Amino acid sequence: MFFRPSDTPKNIIEMLEELTPLVGGLENSSIAGVITTDAFAQTLIQYSSIANALNLEIPTYYLEPTNGFSLKMLSKFSEKSENILMGKVYTLGELLDALEMVHDDSFVFVSNFGILEEMDKKGMLELRKIVDRKGIFLILSHNALEINELNLISEFRRLFFIPELFEHLLVMRISGYRGHYRLNLTVLKAPPEFVKNTGEHSIPIDSKIKLILE
C-alpha cells in the first residue's frame, strides 16, 4: 500500500534533552537502539526518556527480563512517576505479545533487550510492523559491560539483530573528572535531518548526574 508523505508536525518524545540538538527526539512509529557501557549512562537514558513521556501524559510502559527499575529514582526525574506500567519479558515472542497489549501511540522502554531469547529475522520484522501499526515510541536498550569499540556495527547486530530497522542507533558512555561529568556519544544512525551529526560527540551532563547522585 502506498501513501503520500505528510509534513504535518509529529508527536516527539525527547530521549534525553541534551541529545535533542544532535539526534532529535523519538517520533511515533520509531525505534531507537541504545547501547550504554556504564550504570550512569543507562540510568540517564532510561529515567529521562520515561519521565519525558510521563510529563507529556503519554501512556508509558517499562519492560525487562531482570529487576532493574526504581520508582524512587524515577521520582527524581518526574512528578508523575506513579503513572508507569511495568512488565517482564524473557523472549522476543513475549515482547511482541506485550507490544500488542499496549495502547496505540504509547511509549515503551525495554531494558536489557540483548539478552532476550528466540531472536530471529521474522520476529524483528513483526516487531517493526507492530510499532508502525500502533504508532509506538520504542526504545530498546542494553547496558553492555564490555563492547568492541572498534566494530560497533557488529555489536549492534549482536544485541539488536537487525539494526537497519531502527531510526536511531546510539552508544552512550559517561566519563567524570573532579566532580564534572560528560556524556560521550556515538551516533551511528539518526533521522535524515540529523544525519550530519553522525559520529562522536562529548556533552556536559553535570545537572543530570546530580539528580542521580542526590
Side-chain angles (χ1 to χ4, degrees):
M1 184 176 71
F2 292 92
F3 60 92
R4 187 180 300 278
S6 172
D7 59 0
T8 302
K10 298 180 179 179
N11 293 327
I12 293 178
I13 296 175
E14 290 186 311
M15 293 180 280
L16 178 66
E17 290 83 348
E18 289 79 1
L19 296 181
T20 304
L22 293 172
V23 300
L26 193 64
E27 297 183 352
N28 282 98
S29 302
S30 292
I31 307 175
V34 181
I35 297 175
T36 59
T37 65
D38 58 83
F40 276 149
Q42 176 63 21
T43 299
L44 280 180
I45 190 65
Q46 179 172 303
Y47 293 102
S48 289
S49 60
I50 290 173
N52 290 335
L54 290 172
N55 292 339
L56 292 173
E57 299 186 347
I58 292 173
T60 303
Y61 303 84
Y62 177 81
L63 297 165
E64 66 169 344
T66 56
N67 295 304
F69 192 85
S70 167
L71 280 175
K72 183 177 181 180
M73 179 62 72
L74 179 58
S75 67
K76 296 182 179 182
F77 289 80
S78 173
E79 295 180 354
K80 301 178 180 180
S81 58
E82 71 279 1
N83 293 335
I84 188 170
L85 292 175
M86 303 176 62
K88 287 294 190 72
V89 290
Y90 304 96
T91 68
L92 180 58
E94 291 177 348
L95 175 57
L96 297 179
D97 290 341
L99 293 179
E100 288 284 13
M101 295 174 64
V102 306
H103 289 89
D104 290 0
D105 304 311
S106 61
F107 173 75
V108 181
F109 191 101
V110 182
S111 182
N112 287 312
F113 177 80
I115 64 176
L116 297 186
E117 294 186 344
E118 300 177 6
M119 299 290 295
D120 58 26
K121 182 177 180 179
K122 181 179 180 181
M124 288 300 296
L125 288 171
E126 182 61 26
L127 181 146
R128 178 75 252 187
K129 290 179 183 178
I130 296 171
V131 169
D132 289 340
R133 172 166 50 83
K134 295 174 68 73
I136 294 171
F137 306 84
L138 178 62
I139 295 181
L140 303 179
S141 76
H142 189 83
N143 189 39
L145 299 179
E146 184 178 34
I147 64 171
N148 181 0
E149 294 278 2
L150 299 178
N151 193 350
L152 291 176
I153 292 296
S154 68
E155 293 296 282
F156 274 102
R157 199 166 302 283
R158 175 176 66 88
L159 294 170
F160 299 108
F161 204 74
I162 309 179
E164 290 84 358
L165 296 177
F166 295 44
E167 279 73 28
H168 296 85
L169 295 176
L170 310 173
V171 182
M172 298 173 56
R173 322 157 188 82
I174 300 295
S175 61
Y177 181 70
R178 293 186 176 180
H180 293 286
Y181 297 86
R182 300 189 72 86
L183 169 61
N184 301 304
L185 174 72
T186 302
V187 180
L188 272 75
K189 188 178 181 182
E193 59 268 35
F194 296 98
V195 70
K196 63 182 179 180
N197 295 325
T198 301
E200 304 293 331
H201 306 272
S202 183
I203 308 165
I205 203 81
D206 284 356
S207 61
K208 286 289 170 54
I209 296 296
K210 287 179 180 178
L211 288 177
I212 298 173
L213 296 177
E214 286 178 351

